[in-house]
Amino acid sequence: MAKCYTNVFCCALLAVVSLVLDTSARQSANVADTQSSGTRQASGPVANPFANTGPEIEVTVDGHTYGQHAEALHNLGSPEDQVNPMPPHRIVGDLYYVGTVGLASYLVVTPEGDILINTTFERNVPTIRKSVEQLGFKFTDIKIILGSHAHSDHQEGDALAKQLTGGAKVMVMAEDVPLLQKMMPGGKPHPIDRVLHDGDEVELGGATLVAHLTPGHTPGCTTWTIKIQDGGRTYDVVIVGSLSVAPGTKLVNNANDPHIVDEYRRAFKVSKGLRCDIFLASHGAVYDSKEKYAKLRAGGPNPFIDPDGYKREIAIEEAIFNAVLAQQSKAETTR
Ligand SMILES: [Zn+2]
């Protein structure tokens, strides 16, 4: 429970966020950014749904200050962002964005059918289908469904998406199977057609996605990589599962997941070893999708090429992890 949100807790958290999160959280954070300190904060009029999870823990990376709570708010996005569609768009080559503003879904198009990554909440599945169709593709051409990690805002829609695609195969990381089996919207069993292990490849029509186990956020949290051709170049694409330590996560003496510290360390190590040209994630805000989409519309170089953004995301989340661990370890020894 403390390790990561179960479905119920995840929904409860999102419901709390829905009640209190001002949609301007990120903007006000940006204002703070550009004012004096370079600090990203969830301050001002925005109530903090993580208030009962202890004080804000702040870290400094490259001269900017980031808070654990502020980052969580930033990445979750507003309740509207979680359900409103993002205009579907091509990211690079045959890789497209088909998710909502806040919850990222990706479509890999191949001559033998398509791959959908992240069905998000079940209620978002019709929105995703519409986005796929707006791009000129068919939802029924989706043959494989993958996910970032076993939280309901990323994989709750698997059963409905499988049904609406006419039987796409749902492939999930082994370590997330127990959590996914409890994710049963409307009582529907979670479909699992193939169980994946670290390093497994998912192939379809010449496209190959590699599943990298980057655990901690959930035990089976998965970072996907794929090489995509575009304009005579090959791009290394990384879709980050999640590296964040959500407020309230117990890193010390976690009975549910005694190895959580080692898991996070593994996730950071693995992530640092991945080649990245195009930086994507399970939440749009993690890679600043709104800003990059605006740049895409304006023309110019592909804004999704952002290896530095990828490195920065790892650095921020690792710094927060270390700070939370230090704080919890200190509290434990002084008990
Ligand atoms: Zn999550």
Side-chain angles (χ1 to χ4, degrees), residues 171-200:
M171 304 185 183
V172 306
M173 192 63 103
E175 290 81 353
D176 263 358
V177 166
L179 281 176
L180 288 169
Q181 283 173 333
K182 291 183 203 148
M183 195 182 289
M184 300 170 64
K188 292 187 287 295
H190 203 103
I192 297 176
D193 298 297
R194 178 182 166 193
V195 175
L196 301 166
H197 300 276
D198 182 40
D200 276 357

Side-chain angles (χ1 to χ4, degrees), residues 243 268-269 272 313-323:
L243 295 168
F268 295 122
K269 188 166 177 231
K272 286 177 200 170
E313 167 63 11
I314 299 169
I316 293 168
E317 300 301 350
E318 187 172 33
I320 290 173
F321 163 80
N322 283 325

Side-chain angles (χ1 to χ4, degrees), residues 79-263:
E80 293 80 14
D81 281 353
Q82 288 163 17
V83 295
N84 290 340
M86 181 85 172
H89 54 274
R90 195 168 75 94
I91 294 166
V92 65
D94 292 322
L95 175 64
Y96 297 84
Y97 189 93
V98 293
T100 63
V101 174
L103 300 175
S105 304
Y106 303 97
L107 188 73
V108 179
V109 174
T110 92
E112 291 171 28
D114 305 335
I115 302 169
L116 177 66
I117 302 162
N118 289 333
T119 58
T120 76
F121 287 123
E122 185 175 62
R123 63 181 177 274
N124 283 342
V125 172
T127 307
I128 294 168
R129 178 169 65 174
K130 199 170 166 200
S131 293
V132 168
E133 290 167 355
Q134 276 177 359
L135 290 167
F137 305 116
K138 288 191 197 143
F139 207 63
T140 49
D141 280 344
I142 294 171
K143 304 297 176 209
I144 296 172
I145 294 169
L146 306 173
S148 285
H149 62 264
H151 284 165
S152 51
D153 52 345
H154 306 292
Q155 295 191 246
E156 187 193 64
D158 286 6
L160 180 60
K162 181 181 174 77
Q163 185 194 325
L164 296 179
T165 55
K169 298 222 172 334
V170 178
M171 304 185 183
V172 306
M173 192 63 103
E175 290 81 353
D176 263 358
V177 166
L179 281 176
L180 288 169
Q181 283 173 333
K182 291 183 203 148
M183 195 182 289
M184 300 170 64
K188 292 187 287 295
H190 203 103
I192 297 176
D193 298 297
R194 178 182 166 193
V195 175
L196 301 166
H197 300 276
D198 182 40
D200 276 357
E201 296 186 346
V202 173
E203 293 180 299
L204 185 69
T208 304
L209 281 140
V210 183
H212 303 271
L213 180 64
T214 48
H217 187 81
T218 67
C221 186
T222 305
T223 294
W224 290 101
T225 58
I226 182 170
K227 288 183 186 296
I228 298 268
Q229 317 270 349
D230 192 339
R233 255 200 76 177
T234 302
Y235 294 89
D236 284 299
V237 178
V238 179
I239 304 173
V240 175
S242 178
L243 295 168
S244 77
V245 179
T249 301
K250 217 173 163 195
L251 295 178
V252 175
N253 291 335
N254 185 329
N256 291 333
D257 187 357
H259 305 295
I260 188 167
V261 168
D262 290 340
E263 286 180 356

Side-chain angles (χ1 to χ4, degrees), residues 11-44:
C11 290
L13 171 70
L14 290 166
V16 172
V17 171
S18 302
L19 287 172
V20 298
L21 178 59
D22 186 310
T23 54
S24 66
R26 177 61 174 161
Q27 284 105 330
S28 58
N30 276 341
V31 169
D33 237 355
T34 53
Q35 284 174 343
S36 53
S37 65
T39 298
R40 191 148 85 175
Q41 293 176 333
S43 57

